[in-house]
Amino acid sequence: DNVVNAIRAEVKAAGLLDTRDNCWDFFINKVRDNLHLVLCMSPVGDAFRVRSRKFPALCGCTAINYFHPWPKDALVSVAEKFLADVELTSDEIRSSCAQHMAFVHTSVGETAIRYKAAERRNVYTTPKSFLELIMLYKSQLADSRATLDMLQNRLESGLIKLKGSSAQVA
């Protein structure tokens, strides 16, 4: 009832009688004209193929957009944004890390093209794989820093014990 009452004015403006059936048909046609659905699926692995077989209408009445690789400037910008919260000694090092991450991602994409030509197998580099590269760097950096802090503490406590022992001997 709410739908019919809400659309009644538009039905009258279109020059139709505002009966319940006309209102409902007008609403359904308006939804069909204006409803757009976006499904994003990666072509990697079997999931896309399996879904296409289970639901053939997904591929029957769709437009499949293949997105081109990100430009290097966009990769650098994304890397700098995600590295902004990482404690580094200078902004120059942060910028160098971002440049290197972009270089690695683009070179993997170029190597994937050569691999496909040689082996006839696809290897995909996606925006998600670039973000995973950044997250891997951040986690590896945190792990390395924790290990170095632990080793530094061990060394300091060992030196304190050695000084204490040498004072007792002397």
Side-chain angles (χ1 to χ4, degrees):
D1 287 332
N2 291 337
V3 172
V4 172
N5 292 333
I7 205 156
R8 193 172 300 273
E10 290 182 48
V11 172
K12 285 182 183 177
L16 300 171
L17 290 174
D18 60 341
T19 63
R20 182 175 176 77
D21 289 337
N22 282 347
C23 289
W24 187 253
D25 290 340
F26 188 83
F27 172 73
I28 295 297
N29 288 331
K30 188 173 180 181
V31 168
R32 279 188 192 138
D33 291 342
N34 295 319
L35 181 66
H36 300 282
L37 184 65
V38 176
L39 295 176
C40 297
M41 291 185 260
S42 174
V44 179
D46 295 332
F48 183 69
R49 183 171 34 89
V50 169
R51 286 186 191 117
S52 297
R53 285 184 186 159
K54 285 183 180 177
F55 308 103
L58 285 177
C59 295
C61 302
T62 60
I64 298 176
N65 292 329
Y66 291 98
F67 297 101
H68 298 287
W70 284 0
K72 188 172 182 177
D73 293 342
L75 294 170
V76 170
S77 175
V78 168
E80 285 177 345
K81 182 180 184 299
F82 278 90
L83 291 175
D85 62 341
V86 176
E87 185 181 326
L88 295 173
T89 55
S90 70
D91 286 337
E92 183 180 323
I93 292 176
R94 186 181 328 279
S95 177
S96 295
C97 285
Q99 292 284 341
H100 182 69
M101 288 177 177
F103 169 75
V104 168
H105 188 74
T106 54
S107 64
V108 168
E110 293 164 1
T111 305
I113 292 170
R114 290 195 306 270
Y115 181 73
K116 182 179 180 185
E119 300 293 328
R120 288 189 247 148
R121 293 186 65 195
N122 285 320
V123 177
Y124 298 99
T125 55
T126 63
K128 183 177 181 182
S129 63
F130 182 65
L131 296 175
E132 287 174 352
L133 170 68
I134 296 170
M135 295 305 152
L136 176 66
Y137 172 76
K138 288 169 73 171
S139 69
Q140 290 288 323
L141 182 63
D143 291 346
S144 295
R145 284 181 173 170
T147 302
L148 287 174
D149 285 343
M150 180 194 64
L151 291 174
Q152 182 181 3
N153 290 337
R154 245 193 224 172
L155 180 64
E156 288 173 355
S157 67
L159 288 175
I160 291 169
K161 288 179 183 177
L162 282 174
K163 285 182 182 178
S165 296
S166 66
Q168 289 177 356
V169 170

